Amino acid sequence: MSAHIGKFAMTLGVLLVSGQLFAHSHGHQMTEAEQKAANGVFADKDVKDRKLSDWDGIWQSVYPFLLDGSLDPVFKQKAAKDKSKTFDQVKAYYHTGYATDVDSIGIENNVMEFHKGREVSSCHYDYSGYKILTYASGKKGVRYLFECKDASSSAPKFVQFSDHIIGPKASSHFHIFMGNTSHEALLKEMDNWPTYYPNEMYKDQVVDEMLHH
């Protein structure tokens, strides 16, 4: 994974030195209400607006970790907990979910930078509010919506974050939905949710985080 993300490289260095990236909230720091919200149980009135700065930092896709087999222990654990799915079925579900060609994402000062190999695109994003979704399971989720209004940018026009958090707080990892049609079209996407963890986390740290939180 490339750690040198253009103009964001210095930002990463500053964040690492200040320890800000390591201050991200992981599961064990959650309040009871936050834990319930993370599990899809919350009152609509408790959902609050958030700023793009909640996702500031350099983020790496976990898709390569799935492809090289590193996440197999996670899928085995999930299959053991849910007897209705085999390991292969669980892995196939996450293969579809995690699939992306965006290797890494940098976020700073309301600008998002997307890296696909050597290709880089960026845009300033404006907040478009949030949407509360109720899934087939009865659980709920919140997507935070942002829009790129620069017609000359090749970055995704519409971006939505889902990170199991329903109010202002620094994200520890996120699922992202990206497209150029409309927010309404993106809200219908339930199968593909590329997932990103802080870039400074080593592969085994990401696996450990998934196994224990």
mmCIF file of all heavy atoms in Angstrom, residues 121-162:
data_model
loop_
_atom_site.group_PDB
_atom_site.id
_atom_site.type_symbol
_atom_site.label_atom_id
_atom_site.label_comp_id
_atom_site.label_asym_id
_atom_site.label_seq_id
_atom_site.Cartn_x
_atom_site.Cartn_y
_atom_site.Cartn_z
ATOM 1 N N SER A 121 -7.532 11.586 -8.461
ATOM 2 C CA SER A 121 -8.574 12.580 -8.701
ATOM 3 C C SER A 121 -8.946 13.197 -7.360
ATOM 4 O O SER A 121 -8.800 12.563 -6.314
ATOM 5 C CB SER A 121 -9.805 11.960 -9.360
ATOM 6 O OG SER A 121 -10.365 10.956 -8.530
ATOM 7 N N SER A 122 -9.395 14.441 -7.394
ATOM 8 C CA SER A 122 -9.756 15.097 -6.135
ATOM 9 C C SER A 122 -10.851 16.122 -6.371
ATOM 10 O O SER A 122 -11.083 16.564 -7.501
ATOM 11 C CB SER A 122 -8.536 15.777 -5.509
ATOM 12 O OG SER A 122 -8.072 16.837 -6.329
ATOM 13 N N CYS A 123 -11.521 16.481 -5.293
ATOM 14 C CA CYS A 123 -12.574 17.491 -5.371
ATOM 15 C C CYS A 123 -12.892 18.005 -3.975
ATOM 16 O O CYS A 123 -12.691 17.296 -2.979
ATOM 17 C CB CYS A 123 -13.840 16.897 -6.006
ATOM 18 S SG CYS A 123 -15.080 18.163 -6.464
ATOM 19 N N HIS A 124 -13.383 19.219 -3.921
ATOM 20 C CA HIS A 124 -13.929 19.773 -2.685
ATOM 21 C C HIS A 124 -15.374 19.285 -2.580
ATOM 22 O O HIS A 124 -16.120 19.331 -3.562
ATOM 23 C CB HIS A 124 -13.887 21.305 -2.730
ATOM 24 C CG HIS A 124 -14.457 21.968 -1.512
ATOM 25 N ND1 HIS A 124 -15.819 22.093 -1.281
ATOM 26 C CD2 HIS A 124 -13.845 22.525 -0.438
ATOM 27 C CE1 HIS A 124 -16.007 22.705 -0.122
ATOM 28 N NE2 HIS A 124 -14.837 22.977 0.409
ATOM 29 N N TYR A 125 -15.748 18.805 -1.409
ATOM 30 C CA TYR A 125 -17.099 18.239 -1.248
ATOM 31 C C TYR A 125 -17.949 19.065 -0.284
ATOM 32 O O TYR A 125 -17.470 19.490 0.772
ATOM 33 C CB TYR A 125 -17.017 16.791 -0.746
ATOM 34 C CG TYR A 125 -16.639 15.827 -1.847
ATOM 35 C CD1 TYR A 125 -15.302 15.659 -2.216
ATOM 36 C CD2 TYR A 125 -17.606 15.117 -2.556
ATOM 37 C CE1 TYR A 125 -14.944 14.799 -3.246
ATOM 38 C CE2 TYR A 125 -17.261 14.255 -3.592
ATOM 39 C CZ TYR A 125 -15.932 14.108 -3.933
ATOM 40 O OH TYR A 125 -15.598 13.268 -4.958
ATOM 41 N N ASP A 126 -19.200 19.275 -0.687
ATOM 42 C CA ASP A 126 -20.173 19.979 0.149
ATOM 43 C C ASP A 126 -21.107 18.973 0.807
ATOM 44 O O ASP A 126 -21.487 17.968 0.191
ATOM 45 C CB ASP A 126 -21.004 20.953 -0.692
ATOM 46 C CG ASP A 126 -20.165 22.085 -1.263
ATOM 47 O OD1 ASP A 126 -19.341 22.642 -0.512
ATOM 48 O OD2 ASP A 126 -20.328 22.403 -2.463
ATOM 49 N N TYR A 127 -21.474 19.258 2.032
ATOM 50 C CA TYR A 127 -22.365 18.371 2.788
ATOM 51 C C TYR A 127 -23.784 18.448 2.244
ATOM 52 O O TYR A 127 -24.306 19.527 1.973
ATOM 53 C CB TYR A 127 -22.333 18.777 4.256
ATOM 54 C CG TYR A 127 -23.168 17.918 5.185
ATOM 55 C CD1 TYR A 127 -23.020 16.536 5.210
ATOM 56 C CD2 TYR A 127 -24.093 18.502 6.058
ATOM 57 C CE1 TYR A 127 -23.762 15.748 6.070
ATOM 58 C CE2 TYR A 127 -24.844 17.724 6.932
ATOM 59 C CZ TYR A 127 -24.673 16.350 6.929
ATOM 60 O OH TYR A 127 -25.416 15.572 7.790
ATOM 61 N N SER A 128 -24.411 17.282 2.072
ATOM 62 C CA SER A 128 -25.774 17.223 1.535
ATOM 63 C C SER A 128 -26.761 16.608 2.523
ATOM 64 O O SER A 128 -27.849 16.185 2.138
ATOM 65 C CB SER A 128 -25.787 16.401 0.234
ATOM 66 O OG SER A 128 -24.901 16.942 -0.720
ATOM 67 N N GLY A 129 -26.368 16.551 3.809
ATOM 68 C CA GLY A 129 -27.271 15.990 4.811
ATOM 69 C C GLY A 129 -27.068 14.493 4.991
ATOM 70 O O GLY A 129 -26.086 13.926 4.523
ATOM 71 N N TYR A 130 -28.017 13.862 5.669
ATOM 72 C CA TYR A 130 -27.903 12.417 5.912
ATOM 73 C C TYR A 130 -29.221 11.721 5.599
ATOM 74 O O TYR A 130 -30.280 12.365 5.519
ATOM 75 C CB TYR A 130 -27.496 12.131 7.365
ATOM 76 C CG TYR A 130 -28.453 12.668 8.417
ATOM 77 C CD1 TYR A 130 -29.639 11.996 8.720
ATOM 78 C CD2 TYR A 130 -28.164 13.829 9.125
ATOM 79 C CE1 TYR A 130 -30.517 12.475 9.684
ATOM 80 C CE2 TYR A 130 -29.031 14.317 10.093
ATOM 81 C CZ TYR A 130 -30.197 13.634 10.367
ATOM 82 O OH TYR A 130 -31.075 14.109 11.320
ATOM 83 N N LYS A 131 -29.133 10.431 5.403
ATOM 84 C CA LYS A 131 -30.306 9.607 5.175
ATOM 85 C C LYS A 131 -30.287 8.429 6.138
ATOM 86 O O LYS A 131 -29.256 7.769 6.306
ATOM 87 C CB LYS A 131 -30.349 9.083 3.732
ATOM 88 C CG LYS A 131 -30.590 10.164 2.684
ATOM 89 C CD LYS A 131 -32.003 10.725 2.760
ATOM 90 C CE LYS A 131 -32.237 11.743 1.646
ATOM 91 N NZ LYS A 131 -33.599 12.330 1.711
ATOM 92 N N ILE A 132 -31.417 8.169 6.780
ATOM 93 C CA ILE A 132 -31.548 7.023 7.672
ATOM 94 C C ILE A 132 -32.190 5.886 6.881
ATOM 95 O O ILE A 132 -33.261 6.061 6.294
ATOM 96 C CB ILE A 132 -32.409 7.377 8.897
ATOM 97 C CG1 ILE A 132 -31.759 8.531 9.675
ATOM 98 C CG2 ILE A 132 -32.598 6.158 9.802
ATOM 99 C CD1 ILE A 132 -32.631 9.089 10.785
ATOM 100 N N LEU A 133 -31.524 4.753 6.849
ATOM 101 C CA LEU A 133 -32.024 3.606 6.102
ATOM 102 C C LEU A 133 -32.431 2.492 7.059
ATOM 103 O O LEU A 133 -31.780 2.274 8.084
ATOM 104 C CB LEU A 133 -30.949 3.078 5.159
ATOM 105 C CG LEU A 133 -30.377 4.074 4.142
ATOM 106 C CD1 LEU A 133 -29.305 3.404 3.298
ATOM 107 C CD2 LEU A 133 -31.487 4.618 3.250
ATOM 108 N N THR A 134 -33.523 1.820 6.735
ATOM 109 C CA THR A 134 -33.937 0.633 7.495
ATOM 110 C C THR A 134 -33.739 -0.576 6.593
ATOM 111 O O THR A 134 -34.274 -0.635 5.488
ATOM 112 C CB THR A 134 -35.411 0.727 7.931
ATOM 113 O OG1 THR A 134 -35.575 1.887 8.749
ATOM 114 C CG2 THR A 134 -35.802 -0.511 8.736
ATOM 115 N N TYR A 135 -32.920 -1.514 7.055
ATOM 116 C CA TYR A 135 -32.568 -2.670 6.247
ATOM 117 C C TYR A 135 -33.588 -3.793 6.407
ATOM 118 O O TYR A 135 -34.451 -3.761 7.286
ATOM 119 C CB TYR A 135 -31.172 -3.160 6.626
ATOM 120 C CG TYR A 135 -30.129 -2.066 6.546
ATOM 121 C CD1 TYR A 135 -29.417 -1.668 7.672
ATOM 122 C CD2 TYR A 135 -29.867 -1.400 5.343
ATOM 123 C CE1 TYR A 135 -28.462 -0.656 7.611
ATOM 124 C CE2 TYR A 135 -28.923 -0.396 5.260
ATOM 125 C CZ TYR A 135 -28.222 -0.028 6.398
ATOM 126 O OH TYR A 135 -27.288 0.974 6.325
ATOM 127 N N ALA A 136 -33.458 -4.794 5.565
ATOM 128 C CA ALA A 136 -34.374 -5.935 5.584
ATOM 129 C C ALA A 136 -34.364 -6.625 6.949
ATOM 130 O O ALA A 136 -35.373 -7.197 7.382
ATOM 131 C CB ALA A 136 -34.000 -6.930 4.490
ATOM 132 N N SER A 137 -33.228 -6.545 7.646
ATOM 133 C CA SER A 137 -33.095 -7.184 8.958
ATOM 134 C C SER A 137 -33.861 -6.455 10.052
ATOM 135 O O SER A 137 -34.043 -6.983 11.149
ATOM 136 C CB SER A 137 -31.619 -7.228 9.355
ATOM 137 O OG SER A 137 -31.127 -5.908 9.526
ATOM 138 N N GLY A 138 -34.309 -5.225 9.735
ATOM 139 C CA GLY A 138 -34.971 -4.413 10.744
ATOM 140 C C GLY A 138 -34.018 -3.444 11.416
ATOM 141 O O GLY A 138 -34.449 -2.499 12.090
ATOM 142 N N LYS A 139 -32.726 -3.682 11.232
ATOM 143 C CA LYS A 139 -31.715 -2.766 11.779
ATOM 144 C C LYS A 139 -31.643 -1.512 10.911
ATOM 145 O O LYS A 139 -32.079 -1.507 9.752
ATOM 146 C CB LYS A 139 -30.341 -3.455 11.818
ATOM 147 C CG LYS A 139 -30.286 -4.681 12.714
ATOM 148 C CD LYS A 139 -30.429 -4.307 14.177
ATOM 149 C CE LYS A 139 -30.295 -5.510 15.098
ATOM 150 N NZ LYS A 139 -28.932 -6.078 15.117
ATOM 151 N N LYS A 140 -31.063 -0.457 11.486
ATOM 152 C CA LYS A 140 -30.983 0.805 10.754
ATOM 153 C C LYS A 140 -29.536 1.236 10.552
ATOM 154 O O LYS A 140 -28.632 0.760 11.222
ATOM 155 C CB LYS A 140 -31.745 1.906 11.511
ATOM 156 C CG LYS A 140 -33.240 1.639 11.618
ATOM 157 C CD LYS A 140 -34.015 2.859 12.096
ATOM 158 C CE LYS A 140 -33.682 3.243 13.526
ATOM 159 N NZ LYS A 140 -34.555 4.350 14.001
ATOM 160 N N GLY A 141 -29.354 2.137 9.612
ATOM 161 C CA GLY A 141 -28.041 2.697 9.356
ATOM 162 C C GLY A 141 -28.185 4.129 8.875
ATOM 163 O O GLY A 141 -29.262 4.545 8.455
ATOM 164 N N VAL A 142 -27.114 4.884 8.970
ATOM 165 C CA VAL A 142 -27.126 6.277 8.519
ATOM 166 C C VAL A 142 -26.045 6.469 7.471
ATOM 167 O O VAL A 142 -24.916 6.004 7.634
ATOM 168 C CB VAL A 142 -26.869 7.248 9.688
ATOM 169 C CG1 VAL A 142 -26.902 8.694 9.188
ATOM 170 C CG2 VAL A 142 -27.898 7.053 10.792
ATOM 171 N N ARG A 143 -26.396 7.119 6.396
ATOM 172 C CA ARG A 143 -25.404 7.502 5.401
ATOM 173 C C ARG A 143 -25.284 9.023 5.393
ATOM 174 O O ARG A 143 -26.293 9.733 5.361
ATOM 175 C CB ARG A 143 -25.795 7.000 4.014
ATOM 176 C CG ARG A 143 -25.681 5.496 3.881
ATOM 177 C CD ARG A 143 -25.639 5.093 2.435
ATOM 178 N NE ARG A 143 -25.979 3.692 2.246
ATOM 179 C CZ ARG A 143 -26.170 3.128 1.067
ATOM 180 N NH1 ARG A 143 -26.055 3.854 -0.037
ATOM 181 N NH2 ARG A 143 -26.483 1.848 0.979
ATOM 182 N N TYR A 144 -24.043 9.485 5.428
ATOM 183 C CA TYR A 144 -23.761 10.918 5.363
ATOM 184 C C TYR A 144 -23.352 11.264 3.946
ATOM 185 O O TYR A 144 -22.444 10.648 3.378
ATOM 186 C CB TYR A 144 -22.687 11.279 6.386
ATOM 187 C CG TYR A 144 -23.236 11.222 7.799
ATOM 188 C CD1 TYR A 144 -23.174 10.054 8.545
ATOM 189 C CD2 TYR A 144 -23.872 12.335 8.356
ATOM 190 C CE1 TYR A 144 -23.726 9.993 9.832
ATOM 191 C CE2 TYR A 144 -24.424 12.278 9.634
ATOM 192 C CZ TYR A 144 -24.346 11.109 10.363
ATOM 193 O OH TYR A 144 -24.902 11.052 11.627
ATOM 194 N N LEU A 145 -24.051 12.242 3.353
ATOM 195 C CA LEU A 145 -23.966 12.528 1.932
ATOM 196 C C LEU A 145 -23.125 13.772 1.640
ATOM 197 O O LEU A 145 -23.272 14.805 2.315
ATOM 198 C CB LEU A 145 -25.369 12.740 1.362
ATOM 199 C CG LEU A 145 -26.297 11.546 1.145
ATOM 200 C CD1 LEU A 145 -26.401 10.633 2.353
ATOM 201 C CD2 LEU A 145 -27.693 12.031 0.739
ATOM 202 N N PHE A 146 -22.265 13.664 0.630
ATOM 203 C CA PHE A 146 -21.433 14.784 0.201
ATOM 204 C C PHE A 146 -21.406 14.840 -1.318
ATOM 205 O O PHE A 146 -21.502 13.813 -1.992
ATOM 206 C CB PHE A 146 -20.004 14.625 0.744
ATOM 207 C CG PHE A 146 -19.928 14.695 2.251
ATOM 208 C CD1 PHE A 146 -20.098 13.545 3.016
ATOM 209 C CD2 PHE A 146 -19.714 15.902 2.901
ATOM 210 C CE1 PHE A 146 -20.055 13.592 4.399
ATOM 211 C CE2 PHE A 146 -19.660 15.965 4.289
ATOM 212 C CZ PHE A 146 -19.833 14.816 5.042
ATOM 213 N N GLU A 147 -21.277 16.066 -1.852
ATOM 214 C CA GLU A 147 -21.335 16.241 -3.302
ATOM 215 C C GLU A 147 -20.184 17.091 -3.807
ATOM 216 O O GLU A 147 -19.839 18.115 -3.221
ATOM 217 C CB GLU A 147 -22.662 16.891 -3.703
ATOM 218 C CG GLU A 147 -22.820 17.079 -5.206
ATOM 219 C CD GLU A 147 -24.169 17.674 -5.599
ATOM 220 O OE1 GLU A 147 -25.060 17.769 -4.734
ATOM 221 O OE2 GLU A 147 -24.307 18.046 -6.787
ATOM 222 N N CYS A 148 -19.595 16.644 -4.915
ATOM 223 C CA CYS A 148 -18.574 17.395 -5.647
ATOM 224 C C CYS A 148 -19.293 18.208 -6.723
ATOM 225 O O CYS A 148 -19.939 17.634 -7.599
ATOM 226 C CB CYS A 148 -17.573 16.443 -6.283
ATOM 227 S SG CYS A 148 -16.515 17.190 -7.564
ATOM 228 N N LYS A 149 -19.168 19.539 -6.653
ATOM 229 C CA LYS A 149 -19.889 20.392 -7.595
ATOM 230 C C LYS A 149 -18.969 20.968 -8.675
ATOM 231 O O LYS A 149 -19.391 21.804 -9.465
ATOM 232 C CB LYS A 149 -20.598 21.507 -6.835
ATOM 233 C CG LYS A 149 -21.675 20.973 -5.891
ATOM 234 C CD LYS A 149 -22.369 22.083 -5.121
ATOM 235 C CE LYS A 149 -23.448 21.515 -4.192
ATOM 236 N NZ LYS A 149 -24.112 22.560 -3.384
ATOM 237 N N ASP A 150 -17.732 20.513 -8.692
ATOM 238 C CA ASP A 150 -16.767 20.957 -9.694
ATOM 239 C C ASP A 150 -16.906 20.093 -10.940
ATOM 240 O O ASP A 150 -16.476 18.938 -10.965
ATOM 241 C CB ASP A 150 -15.348 20.850 -9.121
ATOM 242 C CG ASP A 150 -14.286 21.305 -10.107
ATOM 243 O OD1 ASP A 150 -14.637 21.656 -11.255
ATOM 244 O OD2 ASP A 150 -13.100 21.301 -9.728
ATOM 245 N N ALA A 151 -17.487 20.659 -11.979
ATOM 246 C CA ALA A 151 -17.759 19.893 -13.211
ATOM 247 C C ALA A 151 -16.485 19.404 -13.885
ATOM 248 O O ALA A 151 -16.512 18.431 -14.650
ATOM 249 C CB ALA A 151 -18.571 20.741 -14.179
ATOM 250 N N SER A 152 -15.361 20.048 -13.608
ATOM 251 C CA SER A 152 -14.110 19.669 -14.264
ATOM 252 C C SER A 152 -13.384 18.540 -13.529
ATOM 253 O O SER A 152 -12.411 17.988 -14.042
ATOM 254 C CB SER A 152 -13.179 20.880 -14.360
ATOM 255 O OG SER A 152 -12.786 21.313 -13.059
ATOM 256 N N SER A 153 -13.869 18.178 -12.343
ATOM 257 C CA SER A 153 -13.220 17.135 -11.557
ATOM 258 C C SER A 153 -13.643 15.748 -12.032
ATOM 259 O O SER A 153 -14.803 15.524 -12.385
ATOM 260 C CB SER A 153 -13.568 17.291 -10.071
ATOM 261 O OG SER A 153 -13.079 16.186 -9.326
ATOM 262 N N SER A 154 -12.687 14.821 -12.031
ATOM 263 C CA SER A 154 -12.994 13.433 -12.397
ATOM 264 C C SER A 154 -13.286 12.578 -11.163
ATOM 265 O O SER A 154 -13.490 11.372 -11.276
ATOM 266 C CB SER A 154 -11.831 12.829 -13.183
ATOM 267 O OG SER A 154 -10.638 12.860 -12.420
ATOM 268 N N ALA A 155 -13.290 13.213 -9.980
ATOM 269 C CA ALA A 155 -13.622 12.496 -8.747
ATOM 270 C C ALA A 155 -15.112 12.168 -8.736
ATOM 271 O O ALA A 155 -15.905 12.806 -9.455
ATOM 272 C CB ALA A 155 -13.266 13.346 -7.536
ATOM 273 N N PRO A 156 -15.523 11.186 -7.952
ATOM 274 C CA PRO A 156 -16.952 10.852 -7.884
ATOM 275 C C PRO A 156 -17.788 12.078 -7.515
ATOM 276 O O PRO A 156 -17.439 12.818 -6.596
ATOM 277 C CB PRO A 156 -17.006 9.800 -6.772
ATOM 278 C CG PRO A 156 -15.645 9.191 -6.753
ATOM 279 C CD PRO A 156 -14.713 10.315 -7.072
ATOM 280 N N LYS A 157 -18.888 12.265 -8.229
ATOM 281 C CA LYS A 157 -19.742 13.438 -7.985
ATOM 282 C C LYS A 157 -20.486 13.295 -6.657
ATOM 283 O O LYS A 157 -20.682 14.267 -5.932
ATOM 284 C CB LYS A 157 -20.732 13.602 -9.133
ATOM 285 C CG LYS A 157 -21.582 14.870 -9.033
ATOM 286 C CD LYS A 157 -22.359 15.107 -10.307
ATOM 287 C CE LYS A 157 -23.247 16.344 -10.232
ATOM 288 N NZ LYS A 157 -22.480 17.575 -9.956
ATOM 289 N N PHE A 158 -20.888 12.075 -6.353
ATOM 290 C CA PHE A 158 -21.647 11.821 -5.121
ATOM 291 C C PHE A 158 -20.922 10.797 -4.250
ATOM 292 O O PHE A 158 -20.473 9.758 -4.740
ATOM 293 C CB PHE A 158 -23.054 11.320 -5.458
ATOM 294 C CG PHE A 158 -23.840 12.271 -6.306
ATOM 295 C CD1 PHE A 158 -23.939 12.080 -7.685
ATOM 296 C CD2 PHE A 158 -24.465 13.376 -5.741
ATOM 297 C CE1 PHE A 158 -24.648 12.963 -8.480
ATOM 298 C CE2 PHE A 158 -25.187 14.280 -6.525
ATOM 299 C CZ PHE A 158 -25.274 14.073 -7.901
ATOM 300 N N VAL A 159 -20.797 11.115 -2.975
ATOM 301 C CA VAL A 159 -20.114 10.242 -2.029
ATOM 302 C C VAL A 159 -20.970 10.107 -0.772
ATOM 303 O O VAL A 159 -21.544 11.096 -0.296
ATOM 304 C CB VAL A 159 -18.728 10.807 -1.651
ATOM 305 C CG1 VAL A 159 -18.129 10.037 -0.487
ATOM 306 C CG2 VAL A 159 -17.784 10.776 -2.839
ATOM 307 N N GLN A 160 -21.081 8.896 -0.264
ATOM 308 C CA GLN A 160 -21.837 8.653 0.969
ATOM 309 C C GLN A 160 -20.991 7.803 1.917
ATOM 310 O O GLN A 160 -20.401 6.808 1.503
ATOM 311 C CB GLN A 160 -23.152 7.930 0.660
ATOM 312 C CG GLN A 160 -24.058 8.710 -0.273
ATOM 313 C CD GLN A 160 -25.326 7.961 -0.665
ATOM 314 O OE1 GLN A 160 -25.547 6.823 -0.241
ATOM 315 N NE2 GLN A 160 -26.162 8.600 -1.480
ATOM 316 N N PHE A 161 -20.949 8.226 3.183
ATOM 317 C CA PHE A 161 -20.217 7.487 4.212
ATOM 318 C C PHE A 161 -21.177 6.749 5.134
ATOM 319 O O PHE A 161 -22.215 7.286 5.523
ATOM 320 C CB PHE A 161 -19.406 8.451 5.091
ATOM 321 C CG PHE A 161 -18.221 9.065 4.411
ATOM 322 C CD1 PHE A 161 -18.326 10.297 3.783
ATOM 323 C CD2 PHE A 161 -16.988 8.435 4.417
ATOM 324 C CE1 PHE A 161 -17.233 10.886 3.166
ATOM 325 C CE2 PHE A 161 -15.884 9.006 3.821
ATOM 326 C CZ PHE A 161 -16.001 10.235 3.190
ATOM 327 N N SER A 162 -20.800 5.552 5.516
ATOM 328 C CA SER A 162 -21.510 4.801 6.548
ATOM 329 C C SER A 162 -20.440 4.190 7.448
ATOM 330 O O SER A 162 -19.587 3.429 6.987
ATOM 331 C CB SER A 162 -22.362 3.693 5.921
ATOM 332 O OG SER A 162 -22.949 2.885 6.926
#
